[in-house]
Amino acid sequence: MKFKFYIIIVYFFFQLLFINIQQTYANETLKSTVKGIFIDFEIKKNQDNRKYALQKSYLIGLYRYLDWITLVPKNKINKLINNIDASALVTSYSIENEKFSQGRYSSLITVNYDLKKIDKLLQKEEIKYYAGNGPQILILPLMSFNDQLILWDDPNPWFEMWIERPIDANLTDFIIPEGDVEDLIIIDAEDARSLNFEKIKNISAKYNIQQVMIPFLKIEEKEGEFNFILKCFDGLSKELLNIKIEKKANQNTFNLVLFDILNSFTSLYDDYWVADNIKKIESQIFIEVNIIYDSFKDWIYIKKLISNSDNINFFKILKLSTKQSYSQIKIINENKFIDELENNNLLIEKNKNVWNIKRYF
């Protein structure tokens, strides 16, 4: 009986090893979908109106997507997509809320693009890009109207604009708090303005989100004219982001300008996110790693630590045995990665581009 039991244990052990040989790790999930493309036009006879709508959505979606993942000017994006067949880059689509009424066609279309083909296109044009999803960020839309701070108060048109903002409109996943009684108790407008660490930490814990951002919009009215100034703070680090927007409006254009400020901000933050990650990619180093362990438990511990590290952009297992594994990794920040390993009881020995890693107690 004991012999059979050991045979079963060994069998499952090697099954797990075999499965793990094929795994490749990357910290970011690549985004290739553009949702909520609104199409509206006058229906024409003797025209396949749905096909026409799809062709328009492919171009609009591709423009949005390239604007998200690159840092090139909008006129260059327009020139690029006007010289290619956008449909050749599409893998699939879906149509929602399609209507043929009163001589007009309208629908919301979602388009999925082929990242490999987009990569070839951008490499050919020598355009740098980054298509990884940004982190979840909890947004506290703070407004000052004629020096009166407003967060949860009604009305807060700045907060309402964030609520009405289209979902999935950027690489970054901006989360809006519910504004319920518990939120009001946790943090108020003065706490947000003073960047009260404990209060901001508590609101982030409620929503289980690690990053909190406070886009602070200051509005001053004088004789029917409105001046807008937007600054943005990282709620936990208290860092002032290098994003500043200034606009003017009158009573008739107030909401339009407010929406424009929101779109400008999210677009600038996308550029901030893309630029930061392009810089990381350009500075990353490629090494091979020989991981040595005494038990399967140690292997799982080391593998999990490396695959979950923010300092690793790529982790691929090439060989695996009961005592060691041979892998390839791409390191974004070498010093931080070494500190991370050492702080978790791992010994590192370097031999040119090959590292030996072993756990010690």
Side-chain angles (χ1 to χ4, degrees):
M1 291 296 292
K2 285 186 178 180
F3 179 77
K4 287 184 178 180
F5 174 78
Y6 289 130
I7 290 293
I8 292 171
I9 292 297
V10 170
Y11 172 79
F12 280 109
F13 178 70
F14 277 98
Q15 286 293 310
L16 286 169
L17 290 178
F18 176 77
I19 289 169
N20 279 292
I21 290 174
Q22 303 300 324
Q23 290 184 325
T24 301
Y25 298 91
N27 281 343
E28 304 296 344
T29 301
L30 296 183
K31 181 185 179 76
S32 61
T33 301
V34 180
K35 298 179 181 179
I37 304 169
F38 179 66
I39 302 295
D40 178 82
F41 58 83
E42 185 177 339
I43 293 173
K44 294 182 179 180
K45 293 182 179 180
N46 303 319
Q47 173 182 273
D48 187 336
N49 291 288
R50 178 177 290 166
K51 182 178 179 180
Y52 179 68
L54 287 172
Q55 293 298 326
K56 284 175 67 71
S57 73
Y58 297 161
L59 286 169
I60 294 171
L62 184 59
Y63 174 87
R64 286 187 196 172
Y65 187 65
L66 295 182
D67 188 40
W68 293 348
I69 69 173
T70 72
L71 302 172
V72 299
K74 290 177 169 53
N75 61 340
K76 187 172 182 178
I77 295 175
N78 271 322
K79 184 178 179 180
L80 176 62
I81 65 175
N82 286 333
N83 291 325
I84 63 172
D85 177 13
S87 62
L89 303 178
V90 175
T91 59
S92 61
Y93 65 86
S94 63
I95 302 176
E96 299 175 8
N97 300 326
E98 188 175 40
K99 295 178 182 178
F100 295 83
S101 61
Q102 298 179 348
R104 297 196 68 83
Y105 173 94
S106 66
S107 64
L108 285 173
I109 300 177
T110 294
V111 182
N112 296 298
Y113 295 95
D114 188 325
L115 268 176
K116 290 183 179 180
K117 291 182 179 179
I118 288 178
D119 177 70
K120 289 181 180 179
L121 172 67
L122 295 179
Q123 284 196 28
K124 181 181 177 182
E125 298 293 326
E126 297 183 341
I127 296 174
K128 297 176 182 179
Y129 77 96
Y130 182 76
N133 285 348
Q136 282 194 326
I137 299 179
L138 183 67
I139 295 291
L140 297 179
L142 180 64
M143 185 178 79
S144 170
F145 188 82
N146 289 340
D147 295 326
Q148 180 183 351
L149 282 177
I150 302 170
L151 180 57
W152 309 117
D153 308 68
D154 186 16
N156 180 349
W158 181 227
F159 198 109
E160 292 169 5
M161 197 62 65
W162 278 92
I163 294 173
E164 295 172 4
R165 175 179 171 272
I167 297 173
D168 197 39
N170 297 83
L171 292 174
T172 305
D173 188 7
F174 295 113
I175 307 298
I176 309 302
E178 297 170 5
D180 56 16
V181 174
E182 186 179 357
D183 287 345
L184 272 66
I185 294 172
I186 292 174
I187 189 170
D188 60 26
E190 290 290 347
D191 295 326
R193 181 67 186 94
S194 63
L195 301 175
N196 185 307
F197 180 81
E198 290 300 324
K199 299 291 185 71
I200 294 173
K201 188 71 175 176
N202 290 340
I203 195 76
S204 71
K206 178 193 172 183
Y207 289 93
N208 194 27
I209 295 175
Q210 301 302 313
Q211 282 189 251
V212 181
M213 191 179 294
I214 301 175
F216 179 39
L217 182 64
K218 187 173 183 178
I219 306 174
E220 292 184 349
E221 180 188 12
K222 187 176 181 180
E223 298 179 355
E225 295 292 323
F226 299 90
N227 292 314
F228 301 84
I229 299 177
L230 175 67
K231 295 181 180 180
C232 188
F233 299 88
D234 184 303
L236 295 174
S237 71
K238 300 188 178 184
E239 176 189 0
L240 174 63
L241 274 65
N242 188 26
I243 295 176
K244 185 177 180 179
I245 301 172
E246 297 186 42
K247 299 278 185 180
K248 293 180 180 294
N250 55 41
Q251 195 71 46
N252 294 328
T253 60
F254 184 92
N255 286 336
L256 289 174
V257 171
L258 202 58
F259 186 69
D260 183 53
I261 291 171
L262 175 55
N263 279 339
S264 297
F265 170 76
T266 54
S267 179
L268 287 169
Y269 190 81
D270 267 352
D271 289 347
Y272 170 83
W273 170 254
V274 169
D276 185 56
N277 280 281
I278 288 175
K279 184 179 178 180
K280 287 178 180 178
I281 290 170
E282 290 176 341
S283 63
Q284 69 186 4
I285 62 171
F286 182 82
I287 65 168
E288 295 181 341
V289 180
N290 188 39
I291 302 173
I292 304 164
Y293 41 86
D294 296 324
S295 67
F296 183 63
K297 183 179 179 181
D298 284 348
W299 157 243
I300 294 298
Y301 173 83
I302 299 171
K303 182 189 73 170
K304 185 176 180 180
L305 181 66
I306 294 175
S307 61
N308 289 337
S309 173
D310 290 334
N311 299 302
I312 296 296
N313 194 45
F314 174 85
F315 175 27
K316 184 176 183 180
I317 302 166
L318 302 177
K319 296 179 182 178
L320 196 61
S321 71
T322 56
K323 293 295 182 182
Q324 63 184 35
S325 74
Y326 199 73
S327 308
Q328 294 175 335
I329 62 175
K330 290 181 181 178
I331 304 174
I332 296 170
N333 189 311
E334 182 178 355
N335 291 332
K336 286 186 177 181
F337 181 57
I338 291 174
D339 288 343
E340 184 179 11
L341 295 180
E342 291 178 342
N343 290 337
N344 286 276
N345 298 328
L346 294 177
L347 180 67
I348 305 101
E349 293 180 355
K350 295 184 185 180
N351 182 11
K352 295 183 180 179
N353 283 335
V354 179
W355 291 13
N356 292 313
I357 297 177
K358 184 177 181 180
R359 188 177 185 184
Y360 67 89
F361 298 91

